[in-house]
Every structure is written in C-alpha cells, then in structure tokens.
Amino acid sequence: MAQASGMDGRQGTLPLAGAHNSQRDAKRLRELRELLHKAAHAYYVLDRPIMADEIYDQLYQELLDLERQYPEWITPDSPTQRVGGAPSQEFLSIAHPTPLYSLDNAFDPADMQSWQDRWQKLWPGELPADLYICELKIDGLALNLFYEQGMLVWAATRGDGVTGEEITANVRTIRTIPLRLQTSQPPAQVEIRGEAFLPQPVFLQLNQERQERGEPAFANPRNAAAGTLRQLDPRIVAQRRLDFFAYGVGSGLDLTSQQETLKLLSQWGFRTNSHSQVCPDLSAVQKYYQIWDKKRQELPYGTDGVAVKINALAMQAELGFTQKSPRWAIAWKFPAETGVATVVGVTVQVGRTGVLTPVAALTPVRLAGTQVTRATLHNAQRIDELNLHIGDRVVVRKAGDIIPEVVQVLGELRPGDAPAYYLPSHCPECGEPVVQTEQEAATRCVNRRCPGIVREQINHWASRDALDIRGLGGKAAQKLVSLGWVTTVADLYDLTEARLASLERWGAKSAANLITALDQSRQQSWPRVLYGLGVRHVGAGTAALLATHFPSATAVQAASLEELCAIVGIGPEIAQAVQVWFADAENQALLARLQQAGLQLSHDPVAPTTGTLSGKILVLTGSLPNLTRPQAKALIERAGGKVGASVTSRTAYVVVGAEAGAKLERAVALGVPLLSEAELVALAGEG
C-alpha cells in the first residue's frame, strides 16, 4: 500500500493503483498538499507569497472535496487539518491562552446555505430574531492582545493558532490599540482579538516611495501590514501608521452577544468597525454582502469579504469548533480581484528619472469591475523571479486603484515554444545603453536627452501638484518632444501661439489656451516649482518642507549635506539626491532659464500665526530618536503649539520617546493621546 505519513507519525492509507479513478485522485491529492504546504510556508513564514489568494482558495477547496470523498486519506499533516503556518524564527514564540481559529470560506449563496444547514443540524432550539451579525472582513494581519488588570502585557500574531510571534514592541506603536483599557473595573486577564491593517492612502504612499527607491512594491495592504509588523525596529513600524480594528475576545467575559462584545470593546478604547449589522436571516445577510461588494472601493482600507457570525454567544458555545474553524462563523468572500490572462508581449516604459518599467500586454481579463489588458512587471529582478516567457498564462492582481500587476506565472501551462523575456540592454526610446547599480533594483536610461525621459518630465511639470498646466501632457507632450521643439521644461516658455497653431489638429483656440496656461504657471509658488523639477525622492510634501527652510533655489544650492539632513523629515538619501541635482551644471543652466522666463524660484516665507497645533499644549517625555528637545520644541511652536512642563487635563498630546518616565504614566492615567516622533512631525505638517 502507498502510505502518506503525518507529522505526528500517524499514517493515512492511500489506495492501490488501478482501483477505478482512485489512483489519479491519490496522485492529485499529494500534488495539492505539496503545493499548499509550499504556498503556506512562503506566505506565513517568509512573507513572500508565491500564489494569489484566489488560486490558493481554489486548490484548497479541491483538496477539501477530495478528502470529503475519501475521508480515510486524511492525514494530520494535511493543510486542511492545520489552522495556519509556523511563526517566524526571528521573533520569540508565545502560546495563546485560547486558540485562534480561522474561518471557513463561502463564495456564493449556495455555500452560505450549506453552512447554515450544517450548523442547524446541531441546534435543535428556536432561532432568535437577531440570528446573525455581519462584519466587514478586514484585509490585514490577525493579532491577539493580552491584558492583565487592564494593562497591555504582550501582543502576538496568530501564527498557527496555538503559538504566535511575540511583537509587543511593534504593536505598542499602533495608536488605535490602548496600552490600558479605558475602564475602572478591568478583568484580571483578557485576550483581545482584532486585525492590524495599513490604510489605503498610507499603503499607496508607501509603495510610491518604495518604487522611487527602486524597491519592489508590496503586493497588497495585507502583505505590507505583515511586513511592517515583522520589522525588528519599532520606529519603522511607527512611521508606517498601522491601524487596528478589534472584533472579539478570547474567553471569560460575561457577555450575551457579539453585538454586545463590539460595544464593550469600543467602551474599552478600541476602534471597532462601524459597519457591522445584525441580520435576522440569510436573505438580509446577502443584502448586506451585495451592498458592500459595491461600496468597498470607497473604504479607506481593504476588505476581502464579510465575516458572518451567529450573534448569540450561548449558541456559539453550544455549536463549538471543528479542528480548524468555528462552526458558528464563516467568511463570505468578495469576487476575485485576481484573474488569469495570457502574456502576448512586453513593452518598456521610460520614466522621468530614466527608470525602465516593463509592462505585460495581456489578453483581456476583467478585474474589480474593469477590463485589464496591461499589467506592470516592475523591474528586471521581478521578471527573473517570475521566469517570464511570452505566451505564459499568468495571475494578474488589481486591488483598489492600484495598477494591475503580474503576481505569478503558471509554469505548468507554458507552451513548449514560449520564448523567455529579458529586459533590453538598450533604452527603447533613445537606443542608449541602460545601467543598473548594485544599490537599487531599477534599470535606468542615463541619457538626459532621451525623448522618453523628457516627455515624462513635461508630464510631471504640468501635473496638478506641480505647475498645473492644463492642456499639456500626454499627446501634447509627445508631439512637442517628437518635433524637437522641447528638450527641457524651460523650452516650453519659448513656445508661441502662432507656432503651436501651425500644428496639425491644434488650431488657434488650443494654441491660445496652452499659452495662457503656461503664462499662469509663471505665478505658481516656489514649492510647486521645486516639486516640478523632478528631483529624485522629492515629492510634493518634501518639496514644501525644503521650501520652508530654503526660500530660494540659490539657498538650496548653497545648503550643505549637514544642513539638509538637519531638517526633520529629510534623511540622508533625500539630502544627497537634492545636493547632486542642484550641483549639476545642466540643472543650474535650467534654473537660470526658468528664472529668466519668469518662474518663481524663491518666496518670502511668513511665520505662521496659526497652524495644525494652534492653541494646543504638548508635553515631551523620554529621548526622541532624531530630535533634540530644542528641535522638538521649535517644531511644535512653528505649528502654533506650546510645550508644557507637566501633564494635566489641558494637555492635548504627550510626545513619547525612549525611557519615558512619570509623564507617560500620568498621560495614560488621564487618557491623554500619545504621539511618537514620526506622528508629531506628520501632525505638525513637516513630514
């Protein structure tokens, strides 16, 4: 007999070959287990997913169906018998006092009806009017928080449901997780369950910053949240502004319903999702599901389905658990935001800093309500990781407003004659050799006269956050560059209405409108001009910050590396990029031409009489990682605030650093909001 050995030594018997279709099914079962084990290890332990969630769900369901058909084949090491993956070895392991279970998945009304039929067989009693409660299933990382006498003692990831990774220092940086429960009569011990997540705007900004540094983007907010909480430096976690929704407790509280649990969690100071709803039956559940399937893109956080739970805790206790899931709850997943398409070709886009971005041309696939025919491949390193061939069947992902990307190649479906794809060694726009340094994953064209670079620089210069030049960009920029009329943004201000009107399909009105828009751009502020110059790593916020400290291009050019780094929010990488750009002779010539054209390359900064901290009293305690006390005090005062000597009921915030003392304890006792250095900088509008 063929044997499949379990992790604890027990064995499940697989059939002899030739018994009907069982040999084929047994082979498939082994394949599925191996695939799912690899995928789970990559996802939970390595934080490097190798398989889209929807593909995993399909394979898992196939394995589950096989094991239901052949229950004698089930072994203890089957993925269906596990709650989750092993914790990372980089953190200490900690045992959960009560296990954390994962939810089974439903994908359509028939699945929901089957789930209801299963649990109703075990419940002979009457059904309450408030039978179900629906909650949005947040796309993040499950956490277990342990409190003693109301104080947070430790925090851990779900891990395998029995043992998790102890990440208390990182969790303490999440401001929606209270360090002390807001109650005068806390339980002696209590576990709080919830989901840590990265808000969508923060996620998009984080990915933009990573791409500007030539680093691979996070695949989705959940991976970003997981990667953040596994950082060994809590300061990095604090800067990424994670959020948290609490949704449950471990055990031991005298509560009657999940609805009451959510209310109590809110009273204790936790953030709970405001969109939960009690439903009397599956028909009402389906209406809730349909509403949020349409509205979920409006939310500032990711959600991949609806968690449907029996509301009464007594019923939950009676129904209990299977080995891996509660019988009284299920996750009704939203339609897939991934799909499978065929790669029919690859084009390479050249960005304003010369970065080459490969983009796969695809057979049409519908994702998140739109038809997708193109998806980014990020860079040469990502292409190598994917082992991409033209003609491959690939998994494509699109979450929210994120650009579609290829996340997996289905190598087993590759045609035999499919050629491998490699990023070109020469720029597709200008034909010059491209370069790649060891410091970054990006491949670049370094020819500053490259038409692709110039075109994207014009698009950036004309963008809304920069000079906001209506009618310039896209096809107009392409035309002006292809004719050779514009080789730098300064050439735009040499254009005349008559010359533009001579272009095919332009006409007098279009030409006049563009000249008017160019004239208006001369009045845009110095911070906007600085952003429009396209200095590497300098976004709109950083440009405004630089302009606050250096009121002219001349002042920026004269600034030393030390002076640049002294600004809160300007790190060595940004400072060096700024210094290199302003020291370049051609860039200095560009600035001279822009000044001659009437652009605003300076301003007179006025000290604000009001600001984001106007009228507020802040108290400092402990040693901040980057700011000295005088620097922090000046930062607060620039934003209109005042620094207090002691914590009182009038204190708006307490800024907490390392080795904080009695002021922190006083702040916690009074319920005064706490800020990290990074949050202070952001709140003051200087980061």
Side-chain angles (χ1 to χ4, degrees):
M1 300 286 268
Q3 301 288 330
S5 178
M7 289 183 359
D8 62 356
R10 291 183 296 171
Q11 296 178 325
T13 303
L14 297 183
L16 288 170
H20 303 295
N21 294 324
S22 59
Q23 182 184 20
R24 181 195 61 198
D25 291 342
K27 180 182 178 183
R28 182 57 178 164
L29 181 140
R30 295 189 189 96
E31 292 173 348
L32 289 169
R33 286 179 179 170
E34 184 67 22
L35 280 170
L36 293 171
H37 277 312
K38 288 181 178 178
H41 179 77
Y43 184 89
Y44 290 106
V45 179
L46 304 180
D47 286 334
R48 292 196 296 271
I50 60 173
M51 184 181 296
D53 289 356
E54 289 73 24
I55 302 298
Y56 184 96
D57 290 339
Q58 291 171 20
L59 296 176
Y60 186 94
Q61 189 62 44
E62 185 182 350
L63 176 61
L64 202 60
D65 291 341
L66 274 174
E67 291 185 344
R68 284 173 178 166
Q69 184 178 353
Y70 303 101
E72 68 274 17
W73 295 358
I74 298 175
T75 59
D77 64 334
S78 170
T80 63
Q81 305 305 300
R82 294 174 62 87
V83 177
S88 168
Q89 297 302 308
E90 294 182 340
F91 293 90
L92 295 175
S93 295
I94 192 165
H96 300 297
T98 54
L100 278 73
Y101 292 85
S102 60
L103 300 183
D104 279 335
N105 292 329
F107 299 96
D108 53 40
D111 289 342
M112 293 297 295
Q113 186 63 53
S114 296
W115 167 70
Q116 179 172 271
D117 291 344
R118 288 196 300 273
W119 72 255
Q120 284 190 347
K121 290 178 182 178
L122 304 173
W123 181 259
E126 294 184 4
L127 300 179
D130 56 348
L131 178 58
Y132 294 119
I133 184 168
C134 295
E135 303 169 41
L136 293 178
K137 187 174 178 294
I138 307 304
D139 199 10
L141 188 73
L143 296 182
N144 191 28
L145 314 175
F146 188 77
Y147 288 79
E148 280 188 346
Q149 303 300 332
M151 295 291 291
L152 178 63
V153 177
W154 56 258
T157 63
R158 185 171 69 88
D160 63 2
V162 177
T163 302
E165 301 155 358
E166 193 268 314
I167 53 170
T168 311
N170 289 346
V171 165
R172 283 178 175 272
T173 69
I174 303 176
R175 295 304 172 184
T176 43
I177 293 179
L179 300 179
R180 181 195 293 269
L181 300 181
Q182 295 180 11
T183 174
S184 59
Q185 296 180 320
Q189 294 182 337
V190 66
E191 295 171 86
I192 306 297
R193 275 74 190 272
E195 200 82 6
F197 63 94
L198 210 59
Q200 195 75 4
V202 178
F203 170 69
L204 295 173
Q205 180 184 353
L206 177 62
N207 262 355
Q208 180 181 353
E209 292 169 353
R210 290 176 66 86
Q211 289 172 338
E212 288 177 355
R213 294 194 298 266
E215 299 174 359
F218 285 115
N220 54 45
R222 178 176 52 197
N223 287 354
T228 296
L229 282 172
R230 288 184 170 91
Q231 291 285 335
L232 298 179
D233 185 353
R235 292 175 297 181
I236 297 176
V237 183
Q239 291 169 359
R240 291 188 181 174
R241 305 194 301 281
L242 284 168
D243 209 334
F244 180 81
F245 281 131
Y247 56 68
V249 297
S251 61
L253 296 185
D254 186 19
L255 299 169
T256 61
S257 68
Q258 172 65 9
Q259 187 178 28
E260 186 182 356
T261 300
L262 293 174
K263 183 178 180 181
L264 178 65
L265 289 170
S266 181
Q267 292 171 349
W268 280 354
F270 290 97
R271 188 180 180 202
T272 59
N273 193 277
S274 60
H275 301 301
S276 62
Q277 179 178 312
V278 171
C279 296
D281 51 35
L282 282 186
S283 176
V285 169
Q286 185 169 356
K287 289 179 181 178
Y288 177 94
Y289 172 90
Q290 291 169 338
I291 289 171
W292 284 106
D293 184 26
K294 294 178 181 178
K295 294 177 62 177
R296 57 183 162 133
Q297 300 299 341
E298 302 171 12
L299 295 168
Y301 46 81
T303 172
D304 59 356
V306 174
V308 183
K309 306 173 184 177
I310 290 175
N311 191 30
L313 299 186
M315 287 182 66
Q316 291 184 10
E318 184 70 23
L319 292 172
F321 300 83
T322 66
Q323 186 172 349
K324 67 178 291 289
S325 303
R327 294 189 178 95
W328 43 266
I330 196 166
W332 191 351
K333 303 295 283 289
F334 289 133
E337 291 187 337
T338 63
V340 177
T342 300
V343 177
V344 297
V346 177
T347 59
V348 177
Q349 299 174 345
V350 181
R352 62 181 173 83
T353 62
V355 172
L356 272 59
T357 302
V359 178
L362 308 169
T363 54
V365 57
R366 193 163 186 82
L367 301 177
T370 61
Q371 184 165 280
V372 172
T373 58
R374 293 161 60 81
T376 182
L377 294 162
H378 295 296
N379 50 45
Q381 179 180 330
R382 183 60 178 150
I383 290 173
D384 290 343
E385 292 171 354
L386 291 168
N387 186 24
L388 185 77
H389 288 55
I390 305 300
D392 273 342
R393 296 280 285 171
V394 295
V395 177
V396 187
R397 185 200 310 272
K398 181 185 180 186
D401 296 326
I402 303 169
I403 298 171
E405 62 175 348
V406 174
V407 295
Q408 183 187 359
V409 169
L410 303 176
E412 64 273 16
L413 303 179
R414 175 175 295 155
D417 58 349
Y421 178 79
Y422 303 97
L423 205 64
S425 59
H426 290 70
C427 176
E429 294 274 1
C430 67
E432 292 292 318
V434 296
V435 300
Q436 182 178 5
T437 64
E438 295 181 358
Q439 289 75 30
E440 60 179 3
T443 303
R444 295 181 185 274
C445 172
V446 293
N447 172 22
R448 64 175 70 202
R449 294 290 177 262
C450 172
I453 294 176
V454 175
R455 181 181 64 247
E456 294 307 313
Q457 286 175 342
I458 293 172
N459 287 332
H460 178 71
W461 180 262
S463 64
R464 181 163 48 182
D465 289 338
L467 280 295
D468 194 19
I469 306 173
R470 307 295 173 87
L472 181 60
K475 292 182 179 179
Q478 174 74 39
K479 186 72 171 177
L480 294 171
V481 172
S482 64
L483 290 172
W485 290 5
V486 176
T487 59
T488 72
V489 293
D491 293 335
L492 293 169
Y493 299 93
D494 293 334
L495 296 172
T496 64
E497 189 173 329
R499 195 178 189 191
L500 290 172
S502 68
L503 292 174
E504 185 180 358
R505 297 182 182 178
W506 272 63
K509 185 175 182 180
S510 297
N513 288 342
L514 181 52
I515 293 298
T516 298
L518 286 167
D519 285 340
Q520 291 172 344
S521 74
R522 290 181 167 93
Q523 305 308 314
Q524 294 286 15
S525 66
W526 161 230
R528 280 177 171 263
V529 173
L530 179 53
Y531 171 60
L533 293 174
V535 181
R536 285 183 67 185
H537 309 309
V538 176
T542 302
L545 181 58
L546 285 167
T548 300
H549 293 268
F550 303 104
S552 68
T554 303
V556 178
Q557 184 178 338
S560 67
L561 199 62
E562 292 74 17
E563 290 173 319
L564 289 166
C565 289
I567 302 172
V568 177
I570 304 295
E573 190 175 19
I574 297 175
Q576 187 170 19
V578 170
Q579 196 172 57
V580 167
W581 196 96
F582 279 87
D584 183 87
E586 289 196 35
N587 290 335
Q588 291 174 5
L590 172 66
L591 290 170
R593 287 190 61 196
L594 290 173
Q595 187 165 30
Q596 188 177 12
L599 275 296
Q600 304 298 313
L601 300 186
S602 65
H603 67 174
D604 296 321
V606 178
T609 56
T610 61
T612 54
L613 298 177
S614 179
K616 299 184 184 299
I617 299 174
L618 288 82
V619 173
L620 303 167
T621 180
S623 301
L624 300 180
N626 300 300
L627 294 176
T628 64
R629 282 296 177 95
Q631 287 175 330
K633 184 173 183 291
L635 176 71
I636 293 168
E637 291 174 346
R638 282 199 299 271
K642 295 181 179 180
V643 177
S646 59
V647 180
T648 69
S649 59
R650 296 179 57 239
T651 304
Y653 301 102
V654 172
V655 183
V656 181
E659 300 179 1
K663 292 178 182 177
L664 173 58
E665 296 177 5
R666 175 69 174 163
V668 171
L670 291 176
V672 176
L674 307 178
L675 295 177
S676 66
E677 180 191 276
E679 290 171 322
L680 169 64
V681 171
L683 190 60
E686 295 196 14

